Amino acid sequence: MSLLERFHELRRTAIGVRITRYALGSVVAAAVSAIVFAILFVFNVGTTTDSICAFTAGAIPNWILNRRWAWSRRGRLQLGREVFGYGATVVISLVLTSLSTAWTKAHVQSIPAHYGIRMILVTASYLAVFAVLFVAKFALYEFWVFSEKSRVRTALRSWGLLPAPRASRAARAERAAVRTDRPVPAVNSDHTP
């Protein structure tokens, strides 16, 4: 089997479909972010503000495309896993893009502004962070943020780092009902030693 045939076979699997959709969603988010970043940079907005605005502009369609399209999640949000997990990846990515663009801007000041090269280089450093984090974010989304059952949480519980989950009220009531259905063994009060 050739490498191309293996690639096409992988693309048809569930994980392959998620990777493809995640990649397309990331391209949309990166394009939206790059456009917003470049526009704000041309208007001499600071790189930290540029990064925050651009990242927010890209994070909104990215969330929708990842949750609903790539991972086919519908219904109620899992506050701890989905919202916190996605928020944590956004904050880490935002910090890294802010640091990267500020560093790049400081090093391209000697280039004349009217050529547009500064804007291209600083925007490229912004997009480079997207590229570097692409695989790490997919792994986080796949195994924690958008997974049906958090494998991370299960692992932490098995290591004793998180408390066991509490049973729902309905499950506790069902267990109590099962316990009351059992016959109670008779106690012989005439027991003599």
Side-chain angles (χ1 to χ4, degrees):
M1 184 183 293
S2 73
L3 186 60
L4 186 60
E5 289 171 336
R6 287 182 186 170
F7 173 73
H8 287 300
E9 191 174 301
L10 173 66
R11 248 187 42 201
R12 287 187 285 264
T13 65
I15 190 88
V17 169
R18 277 194 301 278
I19 290 170
T20 302
R21 289 178 175 180
Y22 167 73
L24 292 172
S26 295
V27 167
V28 168
V32 169
S33 292
I35 291 167
V36 170
F37 187 89
I39 290 169
L40 293 175
F41 188 80
V42 167
F43 287 108
N44 290 321
V45 178
T47 56
T48 301
T49 305
D50 287 357
S51 294
I52 292 169
C53 293
F55 209 89
T56 303
I60 294 168
N62 194 22
W63 164 264
I64 294 166
L65 290 171
N66 282 329
R67 185 173 194 272
R68 293 186 153 257
W69 188 46
W71 275 271
S72 301
R73 300 278 297 165
R74 303 270 191 266
R76 194 172 141 228
L77 291 171
Q78 297 293 321
L79 194 61
R81 188 172 69 233
E82 289 181 5
V83 175
F84 174 75
Y86 187 80
T89 59
V90 165
V91 168
I92 290 168
S93 300
L94 178 60
V95 168
L96 292 175
T97 56
S98 295
L99 292 172
S100 171
T101 55
W103 183 86
T104 305
K105 183 180 179 186
H107 286 82
V108 298
Q109 289 304 313
S110 62
I111 298 172
H114 63 279
Y115 292 119
I117 295 173
R118 272 199 246 176
M119 186 261 312
I120 291 170
L121 290 173
V122 175
T123 303
S125 73
Y126 178 80
L127 291 174
V129 173
F130 268 85
V132 170
L133 294 176
F134 181 81
V135 173
K137 286 169 59 174
F138 178 82
L140 279 172
Y141 295 162
E142 176 68 17
F143 295 110
W144 183 41
V145 176
F146 295 119
S147 76
E148 287 297 317
K149 186 171 184 175
S150 174
R151 296 174 198 132
V152 172
R153 190 179 315 142
T154 303
L156 291 174
R157 283 191 178 122
S158 70
W159 297 333
L161 298 174
L162 283 178
R166 288 182 36 158
S168 69
R169 198 175 280 176
R172 287 191 303 259
E174 184 178 313
R175 279 192 300 230
V178 169
R179 279 190 231 128
T180 59
D181 292 346
R182 288 188 223 151
V184 178
V187 177
N188 186 356
S189 60
D190 293 340
H191 180 67
T192 55

mmCIF file with all atom_site columns, all heavy atoms in Angstrom, residues 29-40:
data_model
loop_
_atom_site.group_PDB
_atom_site.id
_atom_site.type_symbol
_atom_site.label_atom_id
_atom_site.label_alt_id
_atom_site.label_comp_id
_atom_site.label_asym_id
_atom_site.label_entity_id
_atom_site.label_seq_id
_atom_site.pdbx_PDB_ins_code
_atom_site.Cartn_x
_atom_site.Cartn_y
_atom_site.Cartn_z
_atom_site.occupancy
_atom_site.B_iso_or_equiv
_atom_site.pdbx_formal_charge
_atom_site.auth_seq_id
_atom_site.auth_comp_id
_atom_site.auth_asym_id
_atom_site.auth_atom_id
_atom_site.pdbx_PDB_model_num
ATOM 1  N N   . ALA A 1 29 ? -9.931  30.231 11.464 1.00 0.00 ? 29 ALA A N   1
ATOM 2  C CA  . ALA A 1 29 ? -9.584  31.054 12.634 1.00 0.00 ? 29 ALA A CA  1
ATOM 3  C C   . ALA A 1 29 ? -8.298  31.831 12.386 1.00 0.00 ? 29 ALA A C   1
ATOM 4  O O   . ALA A 1 29 ? -8.208  33.017 12.727 1.00 0.00 ? 29 ALA A O   1
ATOM 5  C CB  . ALA A 1 29 ? -9.435  30.169 13.871 1.00 0.00 ? 29 ALA A CB  1
ATOM 6  N N   . ALA A 1 30 ? -7.305  31.186 11.791 1.00 0.00 ? 30 ALA A N   1
ATOM 7  C CA  . ALA A 1 30 ? -6.030  31.863 11.516 1.00 0.00 ? 30 ALA A CA  1
ATOM 8  C C   . ALA A 1 30 ? -6.224  32.987 10.502 1.00 0.00 ? 30 ALA A C   1
ATOM 9  O O   . ALA A 1 30 ? -5.630  34.068 10.651 1.00 0.00 ? 30 ALA A O   1
ATOM 10 C CB  . ALA A 1 30 ? -4.994  30.860 11.020 1.00 0.00 ? 30 ALA A CB  1
ATOM 11 N N   . ALA A 1 31 ? -7.050  32.752 9.498  1.00 0.00 ? 31 ALA A N   1
ATOM 12 C CA  . ALA A 1 31 ? -7.293  33.791 8.491  1.00 0.00 ? 31 ALA A CA  1
ATOM 13 C C   . ALA A 1 31 ? -7.999  34.995 9.108  1.00 0.00 ? 31 ALA A C   1
ATOM 14 O O   . ALA A 1 31 ? -7.604  36.149 8.879  1.00 0.00 ? 31 ALA A O   1
ATOM 15 C CB  . ALA A 1 31 ? -8.121  33.224 7.340  1.00 0.00 ? 31 ALA A CB  1
ATOM 16 N N   . VAL A 1 32 ? -9.029  34.737 9.902  1.00 0.00 ? 32 VAL A N   1
ATOM 17 C CA  . VAL A 1 32 ? -9.746  35.830 10.570 1.00 0.00 ? 32 VAL A CA  1
ATOM 18 C C   . VAL A 1 32 ? -8.789  36.591 11.485 1.00 0.00 ? 32 VAL A C   1
ATOM 19 O O   . VAL A 1 32 ? -8.738  37.825 11.475 1.00 0.00 ? 32 VAL A O   1
ATOM 20 C CB  . VAL A 1 32 ? -10.964 35.293 11.361 1.00 0.00 ? 32 VAL A CB  1
ATOM 21 C CG1 . VAL A 1 32 ? -11.547 36.356 12.273 1.00 0.00 ? 32 VAL A CG1 1
ATOM 22 C CG2 . VAL A 1 32 ? -12.022 34.765 10.411 1.00 0.00 ? 32 VAL A CG2 1
ATOM 23 N N   . SER A 1 33 ? -8.009  35.848 12.267 1.00 0.00 ? 33 SER A N   1
ATOM 24 C CA  . SER A 1 33 ? -7.055  36.471 13.192 1.00 0.00 ? 33 SER A CA  1
ATOM 25 C C   . SER A 1 33 ? -6.001  37.282 12.446 1.00 0.00 ? 33 SER A C   1
ATOM 26 O O   . SER A 1 33 ? -5.661  38.397 12.862 1.00 0.00 ? 33 SER A O   1
ATOM 27 C CB  . SER A 1 33 ? -6.358  35.406 14.044 1.00 0.00 ? 33 SER A CB  1
ATOM 28 O OG  . SER A 1 33 ? -7.267  34.814 14.919 1.00 0.00 ? 33 SER A OG  1
ATOM 29 N N   . ALA A 1 34 ? -5.462  36.728 11.370 1.00 0.00 ? 34 ALA A N   1
ATOM 30 C CA  . ALA A 1 34 ? -4.408  37.424 10.615 1.00 0.00 ? 34 ALA A CA  1
ATOM 31 C C   . ALA A 1 34 ? -4.927  38.719 10.014 1.00 0.00 ? 34 ALA A C   1
ATOM 32 O O   . ALA A 1 34 ? -4.227  39.742 10.035 1.00 0.00 ? 34 ALA A O   1
ATOM 33 C CB  . ALA A 1 34 ? -3.848  36.510 9.529  1.00 0.00 ? 34 ALA A CB  1
ATOM 34 N N   . ILE A 1 35 ? -6.138  38.682 9.485  1.00 0.00 ? 35 ILE A N   1
ATOM 35 C CA  . ILE A 1 35 ? -6.715  39.893 8.894  1.00 0.00 ? 35 ILE A CA  1
ATOM 36 C C   . ILE A 1 35 ? -6.912  40.966 9.955  1.00 0.00 ? 35 ILE A C   1
ATOM 37 O O   . ILE A 1 35 ? -6.532  42.126 9.769  1.00 0.00 ? 35 ILE A O   1
ATOM 38 C CB  . ILE A 1 35 ? -8.037  39.556 8.166  1.00 0.00 ? 35 ILE A CB  1
ATOM 39 C CG1 . ILE A 1 35 ? -7.738  38.720 6.917  1.00 0.00 ? 35 ILE A CG1 1
ATOM 40 C CG2 . ILE A 1 35 ? -8.810  40.826 7.806  1.00 0.00 ? 35 ILE A CG2 1
ATOM 41 C CD1 . ILE A 1 35 ? -8.961  38.070 6.295  1.00 0.00 ? 35 ILE A CD1 1
ATOM 42 N N   . VAL A 1 36 ? -7.505  40.586 11.076 1.00 0.00 ? 36 VAL A N   1
ATOM 43 C CA  . VAL A 1 36 ? -7.726  41.544 12.174 1.00 0.00 ? 36 VAL A CA  1
ATOM 44 C C   . VAL A 1 36 ? -6.393  42.068 12.691 1.00 0.00 ? 36 VAL A C   1
ATOM 45 O O   . VAL A 1 36 ? -6.224  43.270 12.900 1.00 0.00 ? 36 VAL A O   1
ATOM 46 C CB  . VAL A 1 36 ? -8.570  40.908 13.300 1.00 0.00 ? 36 VAL A CB  1
ATOM 47 C CG1 . VAL A 1 36 ? -8.610  41.796 14.533 1.00 0.00 ? 36 VAL A CG1 1
ATOM 48 C CG2 . VAL A 1 36 ? -9.984  40.617 12.812 1.00 0.00 ? 36 VAL A CG2 1
ATOM 49 N N   . PHE A 1 37 ? -5.410  41.170 12.880 1.00 0.00 ? 37 PHE A N   1
ATOM 50 C CA  . PHE A 1 37 ? -4.101  41.580 13.387 1.00 0.00 ? 37 PHE A CA  1
ATOM 51 C C   . PHE A 1 37 ? -3.436  42.571 12.431 1.00 0.00 ? 37 PHE A C   1
ATOM 52 O O   . PHE A 1 37 ? -2.930  43.618 12.857 1.00 0.00 ? 37 PHE A O   1
ATOM 53 C CB  . PHE A 1 37 ? -3.188  40.364 13.593 1.00 0.00 ? 37 PHE A CB  1
ATOM 54 C CG  . PHE A 1 37 ? -1.894  40.711 14.254 1.00 0.00 ? 37 PHE A CG  1
ATOM 55 C CD1 . PHE A 1 37 ? -1.786  40.702 15.629 1.00 0.00 ? 37 PHE A CD1 1
ATOM 56 C CD2 . PHE A 1 37 ? -0.787  41.093 13.511 1.00 0.00 ? 37 PHE A CD2 1
ATOM 57 C CE1 . PHE A 1 37 ? -0.604  41.050 16.257 1.00 0.00 ? 37 PHE A CE1 1
ATOM 58 C CE2 . PHE A 1 37 ? 0.404   41.447 14.112 1.00 0.00 ? 37 PHE A CE2 1
ATOM 59 C CZ  . PHE A 1 37 ? 0.498   41.422 15.496 1.00 0.00 ? 37 PHE A CZ  1
ATOM 60 N N   . ALA A 1 38 ? -3.428  42.251 11.137 1.00 0.00 ? 38 ALA A N   1
ATOM 61 C CA  . ALA A 1 38 ? -2.780  43.124 10.150 1.00 0.00 ? 38 ALA A CA  1
ATOM 62 C C   . ALA A 1 38 ? -3.445  44.497 10.091 1.00 0.00 ? 38 ALA A C   1
ATOM 63 O O   . ALA A 1 38 ? -2.760  45.528 10.029 1.00 0.00 ? 38 ALA A O   1
ATOM 64 C CB  . ALA A 1 38 ? -2.799  42.460 8.775  1.00 0.00 ? 38 ALA A CB  1
ATOM 65 N N   . ILE A 1 39 ? -4.762  44.524 10.130 1.00 0.00 ? 39 ILE A N   1
ATOM 66 C CA  . ILE A 1 39 ? -5.485  45.806 10.091 1.00 0.00 ? 39 ILE A CA  1
ATOM 67 C C   . ILE A 1 39 ? -5.140  46.655 11.311 1.00 0.00 ? 39 ILE A C   1
ATOM 68 O O   . ILE A 1 39 ? -4.842  47.849 11.187 1.00 0.00 ? 39 ILE A O   1
ATOM 69 C CB  . ILE A 1 39 ? -7.010  45.576 9.980  1.00 0.00 ? 39 ILE A CB  1
ATOM 70 C CG1 . ILE A 1 39 ? -7.359  45.023 8.598  1.00 0.00 ? 39 ILE A CG1 1
ATOM 71 C CG2 . ILE A 1 39 ? -7.782  46.864 10.252 1.00 0.00 ? 39 ILE A CG2 1
ATOM 72 C CD1 . ILE A 1 39 ? -8.783  44.509 8.468  1.00 0.00 ? 39 ILE A CD1 1
ATOM 73 N N   . LEU A 1 40 ? -5.175  46.049 12.485 1.00 0.00 ? 40 LEU A N   1
ATOM 74 C CA  . LEU A 1 40 ? -4.859  46.800 13.706 1.00 0.00 ? 40 LEU A CA  1
ATOM 75 C C   . LEU A 1 40 ? -3.399  47.239 13.731 1.00 0.00 ? 40 LEU A C   1
ATOM 76 O O   . LEU A 1 40 ? -3.083  48.336 14.203 1.00 0.00 ? 40 LEU A O   1
ATOM 77 C CB  . LEU A 1 40 ? -5.189  45.965 14.944 1.00 0.00 ? 40 LEU A CB  1
ATOM 78 C CG  . LEU A 1 40 ? -6.674  45.676 15.173 1.00 0.00 ? 40 LEU A CG  1
ATOM 79 C CD1 . LEU A 1 40 ? -6.860  44.732 16.352 1.00 0.00 ? 40 LEU A CD1 1
ATOM 80 C CD2 . LEU A 1 40 ? -7.459  46.963 15.375 1.00 0.00 ? 40 LEU A CD2 1
#
